[in-house]
Amino acid sequence: MKILAIETSCDETAIAVVKFHNVQRLAQKGIQKHSEKMPKISILSNIISSQIKTHQKFGGVVPNLAKREHQKNLPLVLLKALKYGGFPISKYQFPISKKISKDKLQMLEKILDREPELLKRFKKHVLPLKPPVIDAIAVTYGPGLAPALWVGVNFARVLAVLWGRPLIPVNHMAGHAYSAWLQVKDRKLQIVNVKFPALALLVSGGHTELVLMRGHGKFRVIGETLDDAAGEAFDKVARILGLGYPGGPEIERLAKSSEALPRKICLPRPIINSPDHNFSFSGLKTAVLYLTRDLGPRKTEELKAVIAKEFQDAVVEVLVKKTITAAKKYKVKAILLGGGVAANKMLRKKIAERTEKELPGTSCQLSIISLTGDNALMIALAAFFVGKKKPPNKVGVDANLKLS
Ligand code: KG4
Ligand code: ZN
C-alpha cells in the first residue's frame, strides 16, 4: 500500500510517499488486535521545504505569507517527492488536451479558484504528469493556520480528482503522536510495536497536550495548556532575550553555554502540583519578561544564558512531572513524545530517565529528532493507522480540530 501524504498546516511545505508492506495479510488478522505484528515500511521520499527564512524577519509565522509560499512550493515539492520515490516525472508525458476532459479541467479549476498561483503552477508542472501508482492521498486538515491548511487540502483534492485516488484527511496532532512509532532498529527506520494504553506528550508551537491512547485512533486528551503552548513560550522568551526565531533551538543553544555558570535566578514552575493534567506557560514567560526588564543594563550575555537555562529547566520539569504523574495514574505501557519541542535534548533526557526510574516496564518512545518538527511522513503514518477515506468534495479544513 502506497500513501502520498501532504502537510501544510504551518510553515513547512512537506510531501512524503510511503509504502507499507504486508498490509493485506495483517489486515486479515486485524492490526489492532495483533499489534505486535507491525507492517514494514519503505520511505520512498520525505521532502520538507521550510519557510523559516520568509517568516524569521517577522519573529513568527505570518499566515498569509505561509499561504503564498505553500502555493509556490507545493507543485515543486511534489515533483521532488515523486522523483525521489522513483515515479516518472519527465514533463509532458502526453498532450494534456487528449487525456483530460473539459469537464474535469473545469472541476480542477473550480477547486483552485482561490489559489490562482497554485492553479498556474499546477497546470504547468502537475497536469502533464503520468499518474503515479499510489493507493491514497493523505492530507492534514487541521489543526493549524486556516489559510495554510486550505492550500494543502485543495492541492490534495485536485490530485485526488486528477488521479482518481481516495483522499484521507488527517489530524496534524495524530501525526505528531504517530511519529513516535518510527524508531531506528538494526540501523533501519522501522514501525515499532507500541503497547496500549499509551500516553503521548505532544508539544509544539501551537499545542501542548497529554493524550491517552487506548488503541489506534482511540485518543483522549486528558490535559492541555490553559494558555501558551510550550513551543510558543520558547519562541516568546527567545524574543524577550533578543534571540532569533524559532526560539526553541536558540534557547537550547544558549542554555547549554551556561552550564558551567553559577545559578543566580529562580523561575516559577506553573501549576506543577495541580491535581489535573493541564499546563500553563504564560506566567513563566511573563516572569522572564519582568526579570529582564528589571535587570535593564545589567542584563549581560552571561545572565541571559542563565535565564535561558532556568527557563528551559522550568518548562522541562513541568512537562516531565505531569507526564510521569499521568502515566502512573493511567498505568500506561508506553510514553510517546512528539512535536517540535520534542527535539529538545534536555526534555528527551529527563523524560527517558524518569520513565526508566519510576515506571519500570513502561517504554519511552521519543520521535526521532528529524521527525519532531512538521513533516508529511508522520501524516502518512497516521493515515495508515487511523485514516478514513473520503470523497474529495467532502474534505474541508478545521483549524481548531481536536483529537478525539
Ligand atoms: O511541531 P512544530 O514544528 O510546529 C507546530 O506544529 O507548531 O513545532 C514548532 C515549535 C516552535 O515553537 C519551536 O520553537 C519549537 O517547536 N522547537 C523547540 C526546539 N526545536 C523546535 N523547542 C525547544 N527546544 C528545541 N530544540
Ligand atoms: Zn506540528
Side-chain angles (χ1 to χ4, degrees):
M1 180 181 189
K2 276 186 200 159
I3 296 181
L4 182 142
I6 301 171
E7 156 64 40
T8 64
S9 67
C10 194
D11 60 344
E12 322 282 356
T13 314
I15 299 187
V17 186
V18 181
K19 182 173 177 182
F20 298 89
H21 303 259
N22 298 333
V23 175
Q24 266 168 358
R25 203 161 53 78
L26 289 170
Q28 281 160 8
K29 294 181 179 179
I31 287 176
Q32 257 149 289
K33 285 181 221 127
H34 299 265
S35 59
E36 68 279 4
K37 288 220 177 349
M38 284 290 122
K40 287 211 164 35
I41 187 173
S42 301
I43 300 157
L44 304 183
S45 55
N46 182 28
I47 311 295
I48 304 171
S49 166
S50 173
Q51 305 174 3
I52 278 188
K53 287 215 164 69
T54 309
H55 300 282
Q56 237 156 12
K57 47 187 172 292
F58 301 98
V61 181
V62 184
N64 279 326
L65 276 185
K67 173 184 159 127
R68 191 193 73 187
E69 291 299 299
H70 287 312
Q71 291 195 52
K72 277 207 269 175
N73 296 339
L74 269 171
L76 301 177
V77 172
L78 175 71
L79 288 187
K80 225 174 176 180
L82 292 176
K83 186 176 160 199
Y84 286 12
F87 299 94
I89 59 148
S90 53
K91 276 190 192 161
Y92 311 111
Q93 306 252 355
F94 47 79
I96 309 166
S97 53
K98 281 198 188 148
K99 292 279 176 181
I100 294 167
S101 68
K102 222 172 157 192
D103 285 357
K104 197 166 185 176
L105 196 58
Q106 269 176 358
M107 200 149 85
L108 300 173
E109 284 171 343
K110 194 159 172 262
I111 296 173
L112 291 183
D113 69 352
R114 285 175 180 213
E115 263 96 35
E117 183 63 34
L118 181 59
L119 177 63
K120 207 170 80 194
R121 287 167 184 250
F122 170 79
K123 281 184 171 170
K124 182 170 173 205
H125 299 291
V126 185
L127 215 47
L129 293 178
K130 194 170 171 198
V133 183
I134 52 166
D135 297 281
I137 297 162
V139 64
T140 304
Y141 75 111
L145 306 170
L149 286 163
W150 271 117
V151 187
V153 165
N154 284 335
F155 190 60
R157 288 172 67 200
V158 283
L159 294 183
V161 171
L162 180 66
W163 296 338
R165 293 285 144 227
L167 212 50
I168 306 179
V170 174
N171 183 316
H172 180 78
M173 300 312 286
H176 277 308
Y178 273 98
S179 66
W181 257 256
L182 267 192
Q183 298 289 331
V184 182
K185 289 258 154 80
D186 305 327
R187 298 222 219 122
K188 272 202 317 217
L189 263 187
Q190 300 193 17
I191 302 182
V192 294
N193 170 26
V194 172
K195 293 212 171 82
F196 296 114
L199 180 68
L201 172 63
L202 306 180
V203 269
S204 69
H207 295 83
T208 294
E209 48 196 37
L210 273 171
V211 184
L212 185 65
M213 288 184 73
R214 294 210 180 272
H216 287 297
K218 293 186 182 151
F219 302 106
R220 199 177 120 211
V221 179
I222 58 164
E224 62 193 334
T225 182
L226 304 173
D227 38 58
D228 290 353
E232 191 180 355
F234 269 97
D235 294 337
K236 287 177 174 170
V237 166
R239 203 177 314 161
I240 293 168
L241 296 178
L243 307 169
Y245 175 85
E250 297 280 318
I251 299 249
E252 180 165 26
R253 185 185 45 75
L254 194 59
K256 196 155 176 36
S257 75
S258 86
E259 266 163 16
L261 299 172
R263 277 298 172 86
K264 295 182 193 148
I265 56 157
C266 190
L267 290 169
R269 270 64 176 156
I271 66 171
I272 193 164
N273 292 317
S274 69
D276 54 33
H277 306 295
N278 292 329
F279 304 93
S280 165
F281 294 109
S282 88
L284 179 58
K285 165 207 69 192
T286 310
V288 176
L289 181 68
Y290 290 159
L291 182 68
T292 48
R293 204 181 55 186
D294 294 346
L295 282 168
R298 286 174 295 139
K299 194 179 65 190
T300 59
E301 285 307 306
E302 262 192 13
L303 255 174
K304 267 166 59 174
V306 173
I307 295 171
K309 171 91 174 85
E310 173 64 8
F311 166 77
Q312 178 177 268
D313 284 355
V315 175
V316 168
E317 215 177 300
V318 176
L319 290 174
V320 174
K321 159 101 193 284
K322 293 233 148 179
T323 305
I324 298 290
T325 306
K328 285 179 183 165
K329 177 171 164 188
Y330 290 97
K331 299 186 173 55
V332 301
K333 296 192 177 131
I335 290 179
L336 314 170
L337 180 67
V341 183
N344 188 280
K345 300 211 178 53
M346 182 64 74
L347 174 60
R348 298 173 77 85
K349 182 169 167 256
K350 294 284 178 194
I351 202 163
E353 273 175 10
R354 282 195 63 179
T355 307
E356 200 184 330
K357 198 165 148 215
E358 296 178 43
L359 291 156
T362 299
S363 68
C364 182
Q365 301 193 183
L366 317 173
S367 302
I368 57 167
I369 295 215
S370 57
L371 291 184
T372 52
D374 292 345
N375 64 85
L377 175 51
M378 70 184 194
I379 302 304
L381 277 169
F384 176 76
F385 281 106
V386 301
K388 292 194 177 67
K389 291 174 185 165
K390 276 195 162 187
N393 59 350
K394 291 272 181 292
V395 179
V397 158
D398 183 350
N400 300 312
L401 184 66
K402 301 265 184 278
L403 270 177
S404 61

